[in-house]
Amino acid sequence: MLKQQLKLINANLPLLDKEKLCTLTIENGLWTSITKQKGYVKEGQANDLENMDEATVLNLEGKILLPGLVDAHMHLDKAFSLQKVGNSSGTLEEAVENYSYAVKDFSKQEIKSRIIRAALMAVSFGTTAIRTHLDFHIRWGKEVAFRTIEAAIEAKNELKTIVDIQLFPLTPFFHFTEEEINILEEAMQMGLTGFGGAPHLSQTPEKDIDIIFRLAEKYDCPIDFHTDESDDPNVRTVNHIAKRTIDYGMKGRVTVDHLCSLAAMSIEDAEKMINKMIEAGLKAVTLPGANLYLQGRHDSFPVRRGVTRVKELLSKGVPIATASDNIHDPFHPFGRGDLLQIGLITAYATHMGSPTDIRTILKMITEIPANILGLNGYGISVGNKANFVIFDAITPEELFTLLPERRWIYRNGGWLIVPGKQKSWNNPKIERLWSHSKSYMTLTL
């Protein structure tokens, strides 16, 4: 049931103030006031979260409240494809090869069902905005390439009241013909958000990067590259990306993801690359789950683990988010689209466990990726949209210790998830989409 007015008391807002509880009010889906409390507030008319159905005042009892989580890098179209596309070696190379051959046999409905299931699963853990990369296998012809694009656009439209989804095609890296460029432009005109690619996999990376920048300039859209996902310290396409970002005046509109080779470089070389990133105003995303799984497969000892230099990038002021990447597919057989879990993996992989570090990781799944996606009206601030998630924990340290399953998710003036009910989804439309996507995928196994 939609609540036009809602008051939240005893809310714990670690991104705003780690010491004081707050009282917040919502009207018509917007934050209208945020007030720090002098202590714990007792209000006779307040309901707790276990008895919230008709409540206009809710007592959060010190539970953590964050703005809706933002996943800056997913592959929704590939999710849950593992049973059809394996990877016996566990390498990135085999994953790319196997999926690129399997994709021609997937129907549009199958891809759409995977996208919806993975997106809704992420929403169930508190995610309210996603940037997904879409395979664009033009090598099998326009019809195959457009299956994924059409499936993603249809899924985005069906989910638009539930989660914001940005769409970035993974452009070809085997070759880049004029015909392929024309088809890519046609796809962009269908409603994609920006251009992506993986130039480090190309035999002509600089040429491919230049093509993407020309297209981005033509369509006035952002760029998001898979960048240097390699254990080889000599793989440095980020250098050319930084140069072209400056040449095209695109500071703040280009994102580089993975950056695994940065971790394999000497400190001196890494600092040079990071300084070039800063000069170009590049934004970054680390994908610790997938890269811990994929990288170092050809090493004996020591084994490189691939996670980029997160602490160095943060200390230099590079905006870097952490994100889910792949879910249950040949690139990464695990994951569930839970950014809290990804935050914990980030903490382990980067030795970030101090109170300051933990709060930084919270920003890496909220404010920083919101900035990367260019979300308007995001965050807990008067006048912004009241899209948020409440966790059953009272400190950030407890949050990452317990990974609480109970999460109350509010968006667009109403509750999406209410734990403890017979049906957690508090919306029959979402329940139907969830059930249908799971049922369809079971039938296609």
Side-chain angles (χ1 to χ4, degrees):
M1 180 178 179
L2 295 179
K3 304 290 194 306
Q4 293 303 307
Q5 292 185 322
L6 183 64
K7 182 178 181 180
L8 307 173
I9 64 173
N10 298 316
N12 184 341
L13 308 179
L15 294 184
L16 296 184
D17 194 318
K18 63 182 180 181
E19 302 295 335
K20 294 184 178 180
L21 298 176
C22 293
T23 294
L24 309 95
T25 57
I26 302 166
E27 292 185 20
N28 299 316
L30 300 177
W31 295 115
T32 55
S33 71
I34 301 165
T35 307
K36 292 181 182 179
Q37 300 172 186
K38 292 183 179 180
Y40 191 90
V41 171
K42 293 182 179 180
E43 191 159 337
Q45 68 200 59
N47 291 35
D48 61 30
L49 286 166
E50 308 304 319
N51 302 283
M52 63 187 298
D53 283 344
E54 302 300 324
T56 56
V57 181
L58 283 175
N59 185 355
L60 271 56
E61 300 177 321
K63 291 181 174 63
I64 285 179
L65 185 149
L66 295 175
L69 310 184
V70 180
D71 208 317
H73 185 123
M74 296 188 80
H75 289 268
L76 297 177
D77 57 321
K78 291 189 178 86
F80 300 106
S81 63
L82 184 63
Q83 286 179 283
K84 288 192 172 182
V85 190
N87 182 354
S88 58
S89 68
T91 61
L92 176 62
E93 295 83 1
E94 185 182 343
V96 169
E97 184 76 3
N98 290 358
Y99 194 87
S100 67
Y101 276 95
V103 72
K104 64 183 183 299
D105 298 320
F106 296 138
S107 69
K108 185 176 83 171
Q109 184 58 46
E110 183 176 355
I111 297 168
K112 180 179 173 181
S113 294
R114 294 204 302 250
I115 292 171
I116 289 175
R117 182 184 179 190
L120 287 179
M121 189 166 69
V123 170
S124 76
F125 292 113
T127 292
T128 56
I130 293 169
R131 175 175 289 182
T132 185
H133 297 262
L134 305 170
D135 271 41
F136 195 76
H137 285 286
I138 196 63
R139 65 189 294 193
W140 303 117
K142 176 180 173 180
E143 192 273 332
V144 170
F146 272 46
R147 283 181 204 165
T148 298
I149 302 300
E150 291 170 0
I153 291 172
E154 290 177 13
K156 174 182 176 178
N157 289 335
E158 291 186 26
L159 296 171
K160 64 183 178 182
T161 61
I162 302 164
V163 57
D164 296 319
I165 300 179
Q166 296 185 352
L167 308 176
F168 282 71
L170 266 167
T171 51
F173 56 84
F174 296 107
H175 45 69
F176 231 143
T177 68
E178 194 65 35
E179 180 184 3
E180 289 169 349
I181 293 173
N182 291 337
I183 293 172
L184 181 59
E185 290 194 62
E186 185 179 342
M188 174 57 64
Q189 293 161 9
M190 292 168 63
L192 301 181
T193 309
F195 289 103
H200 60 280
L201 297 177
S202 172
Q203 296 299 312
T204 56
E206 294 189 358
K207 176 184 174 183
D208 291 357
I209 290 167
D210 291 348
I211 290 171
I212 294 301
F213 271 95
R214 288 198 296 270
L215 289 172
E217 181 182 51
K218 179 177 179 178
Y219 288 93
D220 189 26
C221 66
I223 297 172
D224 195 320
F225 283 119
H226 287 58
T227 307
D228 303 338
E229 191 177 4
S230 170
D231 294 320
D232 184 349
N234 297 308
V235 175
R236 304 181 182 189
T237 63
V238 68
N239 187 33
H240 193 68
I241 292 169
K243 183 177 186 304
R244 286 293 180 251
T245 300
I246 295 170
D247 293 344
Y248 280 84
M250 289 191 66
K251 286 187 177 183
R253 302 191 72 195
V254 179
T255 305
V256 286
D257 309 336
H258 292 291
L259 298 169
C260 302
S261 67
L262 196 66
M265 294 179 197
S266 67
I267 294 174
E268 293 76 17
D269 285 352
E271 285 185 351
K272 290 177 184 177
M273 291 296 105
I274 292 172
N275 288 336
K276 289 180 179 179
M277 290 174 62
I278 295 167
E279 181 185 2
L282 296 180
K283 299 175 181 180
V285 182
T286 184
L287 294 312
N291 285 137
L292 283 169
Y293 180 77
L294 288 169
Q295 305 308 130
R297 291 280 178 167
H298 303 295
D299 292 343
S300 53
F301 190 83
V303 177
R304 289 167 289 190
R305 301 314 309 274
V307 178
T308 195
R309 294 176 180 267
V310 172
K311 295 175 86 168
E312 290 92 331
L313 289 163
L314 286 167
S315 68
K316 292 280 190 176
V318 176
I320 180 167
T322 188
S324 293
D325 208 2
N326 301 69
I327 298 172
H328 197 62
D329 67 15
F331 295 81
H332 183 229
F334 314 120
R336 58 181 192 170
D338 179 1
L339 281 173
L340 196 59
Q341 181 187 61
I342 293 296
L344 177 61
I345 294 170
T346 305
Y348 273 117
T350 60
H351 297 154
M352 293 178 69
S354 72
T356 299
D357 288 339
I358 290 172
R359 284 157 181 81
T360 296
I361 289 173
L362 288 181
K363 292 180 180 179
M364 291 173 69
I365 59 176
T366 54
E367 296 173 353
I368 295 173
N371 172 265
I372 290 172
L373 270 63
L375 300 182
N376 294 319
Y378 177 87
I380 303 170
S381 181
V382 172
N384 282 352
K385 300 171 186 175
N387 296 337
F388 61 90
V389 54
I390 300 166
F391 296 89
D392 198 6
I394 59 173
T395 68
E397 290 78 7
E398 187 178 69
L399 194 62
F400 286 112
T401 299
L402 301 178
L403 297 181
E405 288 294 323
R406 295 206 309 168
R407 306 178 192 188
W408 292 259
I409 299 154
Y410 187 96
R411 176 179 164 85
N412 290 339
W415 297 99
L416 289 182
I417 295 282
V418 179
K421 288 192 171 185
Q422 188 174 3
K423 294 182 179 179
S424 288
W425 292 110
N426 203 43
N427 183 310
K429 176 187 174 183
I430 307 176
E431 186 67 40
R432 287 194 299 271
L433 283 169
W434 174 253
S435 298
H436 177 74
S437 64
K438 289 179 66 179
S439 298
Y440 183 86
M441 289 180 59
T442 300
L443 291 172
T444 57
L445 290 178

XYZ file of all heavy atoms in Angstrom, residues 42-100:
446
model
N 11.419 8.054 21.704
C 10.272 7.193 21.962
C 9.017 7.935 21.509
O 8.750 9.047 21.963
C 10.172 6.847 23.449
C 11.320 5.971 23.946
C 11.149 5.619 25.415
C 12.294 4.730 25.896
N 12.153 4.379 27.338
N 8.278 7.345 20.615
C 7.073 7.977 20.087
C 5.942 6.967 20.148
O 5.991 5.915 19.502
C 7.300 8.466 18.656
C 6.181 9.353 18.164
C 6.629 10.220 16.992
O 7.833 10.459 16.834
O 5.749 10.661 16.246
N 4.910 7.286 20.923
C 3.855 6.321 21.219
C 3.139 5.778 20.007
O 2.735 4.616 19.982
N 3.007 6.584 18.949
C 2.248 6.142 17.782
C 3.092 5.366 16.775
O 2.598 4.893 15.760
C 1.624 7.351 17.071
C 2.668 8.249 16.407
C 2.143 9.638 16.144
O 1.737 10.333 17.066
N 2.122 10.031 14.901
N 4.383 5.226 17.049
C 5.269 4.580 16.082
C 5.104 3.061 16.078
O 5.017 2.433 17.135
C 6.716 4.936 16.387
N 5.058 2.496 14.901
C 5.092 1.044 14.735
C 6.525 0.615 14.468
O 7.320 1.373 13.910
C 4.219 0.604 13.560
C 2.742 0.792 13.816
O 2.335 1.734 14.463
N 1.934 -0.112 13.304
N 6.840 -0.635 14.831
C 8.128 -1.149 14.399
C 7.977 -1.795 13.028
O 6.881 -1.899 12.480
C 8.716 -2.120 15.424
C 7.834 -3.344 15.665
O 7.116 -3.752 14.730
O 7.880 -3.888 16.781
N 9.101 -2.232 12.454
C 9.074 -2.760 11.086
C 8.347 -4.092 10.974
O 8.052 -4.552 9.877
C 10.509 -2.883 10.548
C 11.169 -1.550 10.189
C 12.663 -1.741 9.993
C 10.554 -0.948 8.944
N 8.078 -4.721 12.121
C 7.349 -5.984 12.088
C 5.839 -5.749 11.977
O 5.091 -6.671 11.673
C 7.640 -6.800 13.352
C 9.120 -6.988 13.656
C 9.890 -7.607 12.508
O 9.362 -8.536 11.877
O 11.016 -7.151 12.242
N 5.407 -4.513 12.222
C 3.967 -4.196 12.219
C 3.751 -2.890 11.451
O 3.287 -1.893 11.993
C 3.449 -4.047 13.655
C 3.688 -5.291 14.478
O 2.976 -6.274 14.341
N 4.701 -5.254 15.328
N 4.099 -2.926 10.162
C 4.213 -1.692 9.398
C 3.063 -1.441 8.435
O 3.009 -0.390 7.803
C 5.513 -1.721 8.603
C 5.569 -2.833 7.565
S 7.179 -2.972 6.770
C 7.318 -1.392 5.986
N 2.140 -2.362 8.282
C 1.182 -2.293 7.187
C 0.459 -0.950 7.088
O 0.364 -0.376 6.014
C 0.156 -3.423 7.288
C 0.740 -4.750 6.823
O 1.788 -4.714 6.166
O 0.155 -5.796 7.132
N -0.073 -0.455 8.183
C -0.843 0.787 8.149
C -0.097 1.941 8.820
O -0.687 2.972 9.107
C -2.202 0.578 8.836
C -3.045 -0.523 8.217
C -3.362 -0.252 6.744
O -3.556 0.919 6.395
O -3.397 -1.224 5.965
N 1.187 1.763 9.052
C 1.925 2.745 9.837
C 2.229 4.004 9.038
O 2.552 3.948 7.853
C 3.224 2.134 10.339
N 2.141 5.153 9.692
C 2.631 6.410 9.138
C 3.890 6.872 9.870
O 4.579 7.770 9.408
C 1.555 7.508 9.232
O 1.156 7.648 10.593
C 0.346 7.166 8.369
N 4.168 6.248 11.023
C 5.412 6.499 11.746
C 6.052 5.147 12.048
O 5.431 4.269 12.643
C 5.160 7.257 13.071
C 6.498 7.514 13.770
C 4.431 8.558 12.824
N 7.300 4.984 11.612
C 8.007 3.723 11.809
C 9.241 3.930 12.671
O 10.026 4.862 12.430
C 8.426 3.117 10.465
C 7.348 2.431 9.635
C 7.921 1.993 8.290
C 6.769 1.233 10.373
N 9.419 3.056 13.646
C 10.590 3.084 14.503
C 11.607 2.081 13.972
O 11.397 0.869 14.039
C 10.191 2.739 15.938
C 11.353 2.870 16.909
O 12.484 3.125 16.517
N 11.053 2.699 18.196
N 12.716 2.577 13.447
C 13.735 1.694 12.878
C 14.622 1.072 13.955
O 15.431 0.188 13.654
C 14.605 2.454 11.873
C 14.107 2.452 10.415
C 12.698 2.990 10.300
C 15.039 3.237 9.515
N 14.521 1.540 15.170
C 15.235 0.965 16.322
C 16.742 0.889 16.088
O 17.407 -0.064 16.479
C 14.669 -0.424 16.648
C 13.187 -0.389 17.004
C 12.607 -1.763 17.255
O 12.982 -2.700 16.517
O 11.790 -1.901 18.186
N 17.281 1.900 15.412
C 18.721 1.966 15.195
C 19.219 1.199 13.991
O 20.432 1.128 13.755
N 18.319 0.615 13.227
C 18.740 -0.135 12.035
C 19.336 0.806 10.990
O 18.974 1.975 10.881
C 17.566 -0.908 11.441
C 17.090 -2.073 12.296
C 15.945 -2.799 11.617
C 15.528 -4.060 12.372
N 15.004 -3.753 13.726
N 20.255 0.248 10.178
C 20.950 1.032 9.151
C 20.023 1.306 7.969
O 19.339 0.408 7.468
C 22.219 0.307 8.688
C 23.303 0.426 9.761
C 22.728 0.835 7.348
C 24.585 -0.273 9.425
N 20.048 2.555 7.509
C 19.325 2.952 6.311
C 20.324 3.538 5.312
O 21.097 4.444 5.656
C 18.249 3.986 6.666
C 17.307 4.428 5.527
C 15.931 4.791 6.070
C 17.865 5.629 4.757
N 20.312 2.998 4.111
C 21.176 3.492 3.027
C 20.307 3.864 1.833
O 19.219 3.308 1.647
C 22.170 2.415 2.589
C 23.235 1.952 3.582
C 24.027 0.792 2.985
C 24.173 3.098 3.956
N 20.792 4.781 0.999
C 20.087 4.982 -0.264
C 20.129 3.686 -1.069
O 20.997 2.823 -0.830
C 20.890 6.095 -0.947
C 22.241 6.038 -0.312
C 22.021 5.583 1.098
N 19.206 3.520 -1.993
C 19.186 2.308 -2.808
C 20.559 2.006 -3.381
O 21.263 2.896 -3.853
N 20.977 0.742 -3.330
C 22.300 0.355 -3.810
C 22.358 0.488 -5.333
O 21.348 0.367 -6.026
C 22.616 -1.073 -3.388
C 22.406 -1.405 -1.900
C 22.858 -2.834 -1.602
C 23.112 -0.413 -0.997
N 23.562 0.730 -5.843
C 23.754 0.954 -7.279
C 24.821 0.002 -7.791
O 25.969 0.044 -7.335
C 24.165 2.413 -7.573
C 24.354 2.622 -9.074
C 23.119 3.391 -7.029
N 24.452 -0.868 -8.733
C 25.387 -1.835 -9.311
C 25.881 -1.299 -10.649
O 25.147 -1.270 -11.636
C 24.705 -3.196 -9.498
C 25.714 -4.343 -9.426
O 26.802 -4.189 -10.019
O 25.425 -5.356 -8.779
N 27.129 -0.865 -10.678
C 27.674 -0.165 -11.846
C 28.168 -1.081 -12.952
O 28.601 -0.590 -14.008
C 28.813 0.760 -11.406
N 28.125 -2.401 -12.743
C 28.636 -3.296 -13.791
C 28.057 -4.693 -13.592
O 28.467 -5.427 -12.696
C 30.162 -3.349 -13.739
C 30.806 -4.144 -14.831
N 31.739 -3.608 -15.694
C 30.666 -5.440 -15.212
C 32.150 -4.544 -16.548
N 31.503 -5.678 -16.258
N 27.090 -5.035 -14.445
C 26.532 -6.385 -14.446
C 26.456 -6.897 -15.878
O 26.621 -6.141 -16.848
C 25.137 -6.411 -13.810
C 25.083 -6.040 -12.342
S 23.459 -6.294 -11.585
C 23.464 -8.069 -11.286
N 26.210 -8.198 -16.011
C 25.953 -8.840 -17.304
C 24.642 -9.612 -17.161
O 24.630 -10.841 -17.066
C 27.100 -9.775 -17.685
C 28.364 -9.061 -18.057
N 28.667 -8.711 -19.363
C 29.387 -8.620 -17.297
C 29.842 -8.075 -19.385
N 30.294 -8.017 -18.142
N 23.546 -8.881 -17.143
C 22.245 -9.498 -16.907
C 21.889 -10.512 -17.978
O 21.215 -11.514 -17.712
C 21.161 -8.425 -16.834
C 21.275 -7.396 -15.694
C 20.159 -6.358 -15.811
C 21.235 -8.065 -14.332
N 22.316 -10.276 -19.212
C 21.949 -11.181 -20.313
C 22.625 -12.538 -20.201
O 22.113 -13.546 -20.688
C 22.271 -10.546 -21.669
C 23.735 -10.141 -21.805
O 24.313 -9.658 -20.816
O 24.297 -10.294 -22.906
N 23.790 -12.589 -19.545
C 24.523 -13.850 -19.392
C 24.097 -14.630 -18.147
O 24.380 -15.826 -18.035
C 26.026 -13.584 -19.299
C 26.709 -13.079 -20.562
C 28.212 -13.101 -20.336
C 28.991 -12.654 -21.560
N 29.137 -11.193 -21.594
N 23.451 -13.957 -17.192
C 23.163 -14.560 -15.893
C 22.402 -15.874 -16.034
O 21.543 -16.018 -16.900
C 22.363 -13.581 -15.037
N 22.747 -16.827 -15.208
C 22.087 -18.134 -15.142
C 22.218 -18.937 -16.446
O 21.367 -19.767 -16.755
C 20.606 -17.977 -14.768
C 20.405 -17.309 -13.441
C 19.966 -16.003 -13.363
C 20.695 -17.976 -12.258
C 19.801 -15.368 -12.143
C 20.533 -17.355 -11.033
C 20.086 -16.046 -10.976
N 23.302 -18.713 -17.166
C 23.548 -19.486 -18.389
C 24.534 -20.625 -18.159
O 24.879 -21.348 -19.092
C 24.079 -18.570 -19.501
O 25.332 -17.997 -19.139
N 25.003 -20.809 -16.923
C 26.076 -21.772 -16.649
C 25.712 -23.196 -17.039
O 26.568 -23.945 -17.522
C 26.456 -21.724 -15.170
C 27.633 -22.613 -14.748
C 28.919 -22.181 -15.450
C 27.838 -22.558 -13.233
N 24.458 -23.591 -16.846
C 24.096 -24.974 -17.161
C 24.151 -25.259 -18.659
O 24.241 -26.413 -19.063
C 22.708 -25.280 -16.609
C 22.715 -25.445 -15.086
C 21.337 -25.712 -14.531
O 20.527 -24.803 -14.405
N 21.056 -26.960 -14.221
N 24.086 -24.212 -19.461
C 24.182 -24.387 -20.914
C 25.562 -24.041 -21.463
O 25.941 -24.509 -22.530
C 23.132 -23.517 -21.615
C 21.714 -24.031 -21.450
C 20.767 -23.309 -22.386
C 19.388 -23.954 -22.354
N 18.456 -23.280 -23.303
N 26.298 -23.218 -20.728
C 27.615 -22.784 -21.203
C 28.620 -23.002 -20.083
O 28.677 -22.225 -19.130
C 27.616 -21.292 -21.609
C 28.928 -20.953 -22.315
C 26.428 -20.952 -22.487
N 29.414 -24.040 -20.191
C 30.375 -24.352 -19.142
C 31.713 -23.688 -19.361
O 31.927 -22.925 -20.304
N 32.645 -23.976 -18.463
C 34.008 -23.458 -18.557
C 34.901 -24.383 -17.739
O 35.097 -24.188 -16.536
C 34.071 -22.021 -18.035
C 35.466 -21.408 -18.145
O 36.432 -22.076 -18.505
N 35.572 -20.133 -17.814
N 35.434 -25.402 -18.368
C 36.179 -26.433 -17.639
C 37.507 -25.931 -17.101
O 37.975 -26.396 -16.052
C 36.419 -27.654 -18.546
O 37.135 -27.277 -19.714
N 38.137 -24.966 -17.781
C 39.434 -24.462 -17.326
C 39.298 -23.338 -16.316
O 40.239 -23.038 -15.576
C 40.248 -23.952 -18.523
O 39.647 -22.781 -19.073
N 38.138 -22.691 -16.281
C 37.937 -21.555 -15.389
C 38.614 -20.286 -15.852
O 38.659 -19.298 -15.116
N 39.108 -20.261 -17.086
C 39.832 -19.090 -17.584
C 38.893 -18.117 -18.278
O 37.831 -18.490 -18.786
C 40.925 -19.490 -18.576
O 40.313 -20.137 -19.707
C 41.928 -20.433 -17.931
N 39.332 -16.871 -18.336
C 38.594 -15.846 -19.073
C 38.527 -16.203 -20.555
O 37.485 -16.029 -21.207
C 39.269 -14.485 -18.882
C 38.684 -13.313 -19.663
C 37.241 -13.050 -19.255
C 39.538 -12.061 -19.452
N 39.623 -16.738 -21.075
C 39.682 -17.050 -22.504
C 38.632 -18.087 -22.894
O 37.920 -17.934 -23.902
C 41.083 -17.560 -22.878
C 42.188 -16.536 -22.728
C 42.714 -16.412 -21.306
O 42.230 -17.131 -20.411
O 43.627 -15.587 -21.091
N 38.501 -19.152 -22.089
C 37.505 -20.171 -22.422
C 36.089 -19.631 -22.238
O 35.188 -19.960 -23.010
C 37.694 -21.432 -21.569
C 36.727 -22.538 -22.004
C 36.827 -23.809 -21.180
O 37.834 -23.996 -20.472
O 35.872 -24.619 -21.251
N 35.881 -18.812 -21.236
C 34.554 -18.235 -21.010
C 34.118 -17.405 -22.204
O 32.980 -17.529 -22.686
C 34.559 -17.377 -19.749
N 35.028 -16.559 -22.711
C 34.720 -15.726 -23.880
C 34.404 -16.608 -25.080
O 33.411 -16.393 -25.797
C 35.905 -14.784 -24.200
C 35.710 -14.112 -25.546
C 36.060 -13.738 -23.102
N 35.232 -17.600 -25.309
C 35.060 -18.481 -26.467
C 33.753 -19.265 -26.381
O 32.965 -19.314 -27.338
C 36.247 -19.441 -26.541
C 36.240 -20.362 -27.758
C 36.659 -19.670 -29.040
O 37.017 -18.484 -28.985
O 36.622 -20.328 -30.097
N 33.498 -19.881 -25.237
C 32.307 -20.727 -25.102
C 31.020 -19.923 -25.230
O 30.076 -20.347 -25.900
C 32.332 -21.463 -23.759
C 33.404 -22.532 -23.696
O 34.112 -22.765 -24.668
N 33.547 -23.169 -22.557
N 30.978 -18.772 -24.588
C 29.745 -17.989 -24.650
C 29.518 -17.417 -26.037
O 28.385 -17.369 -26.533
C 29.749 -16.858 -23.616
C 28.359 -16.274 -23.432
C 27.474 -16.831 -22.519
C 27.924 -15.200 -24.198
C 26.183 -16.330 -22.368
C 26.646 -14.692 -24.062
C 25.775 -15.263 -23.148
O 24.497 -14.770 -23.021
N 30.595 -17.007 -26.699
C 30.443 -16.404 -28.027
C 29.882 -17.406 -29.031
O 29.198 -17.016 -29.986
C 31.780 -15.851 -28.523
O 32.704 -16.897 -28.774
